[in-house]
Amino acid sequence: QVQLMESGGGSVQAGGSLRLSCAISGDMDIRRCMAWFRQAPGKEREGVAAIRPVGGSLYYADSVKGRFTISIDNAATTGLLHLNSVKPEDTATYFCAASRMFAPCNTDPRVSEYPYWGQGTQVTVSS
């Protein structure tokens, strides 16, 4: 079992920055991925970024590449998502999640491969 809890959401103007944190506890083995997903009203949940705690395997969605940065400490107890140059279309509820063992971390994360989820944190970007 892995427990996750997000914090750091809020309201920000377009072009601004925000940092989301994910507190991780339980069986966060390095063979799992940690990923950030987001879900806007009326839309499907989409993968934003993913990382493996050790080894450097990374993924970013094209929509956030160059603007968002994912990281996780070596002990896999805290994950971060830095949001820079935010846009109104980044408005969504953001979730951190932990994958099954040996899930790929360098491809578009699939919801079905992530059995452990936080409760979500709201990010609202105003124009």
Side-chain angles (χ1 to χ4, degrees):
Q1 293 288 330
V2 182
Q3 295 80 41
L4 306 106
M5 181 175 292
E6 306 90 343
S7 61
S11 297
V12 62
Q13 288 193 325
S17 299
L18 208 60
R19 188 185 76 168
L20 305 183
S21 295
C22 179
I24 306 167
S25 60
D27 183 28
M28 184 55 193
D29 192 279
I30 60 171
R31 292 167 291 182
R32 301 185 192 275
C33 310
M34 192 276 288
W36 289 91
F37 292 77
R38 66 185 181 186
Q39 188 167 19
K43 294 189 176 181
E44 292 188 355
R45 193 167 295 190
E46 63 171 346
V48 173
I51 189 169
R52 192 177 301 284
V54 177
S57 187
L58 278 176
Y59 165 84
Y60 290 101
D62 286 343
S63 58
V64 306
K65 202 172 292 183
R67 300 189 298 120
F68 291 10
T69 303
I70 188 173
S71 62
I72 188 169
D73 64 321
N74 287 340
T77 59
T78 304
L80 298 175
L81 185 69
H82 287 87
L83 291 68
N84 297 311
S85 302
V86 295
K87 304 174 181 180
E89 52 263 43
D90 294 322
T91 295
T93 301
Y94 284 71
F95 300 88
C96 63
S99 75
R100 62 168 176 81
M101 295 284 197
F102 303 112
C105 303
N106 59 353
T107 60
D108 187 8
R110 295 187 293 179
V111 170
S112 60
E113 293 189 331
Y114 285 76
Y116 306 108
W117 294 82
Q119 83 290 349
T121 187
Q122 178 66 35
V123 172
T124 302
V125 182
S126 58
S127 57

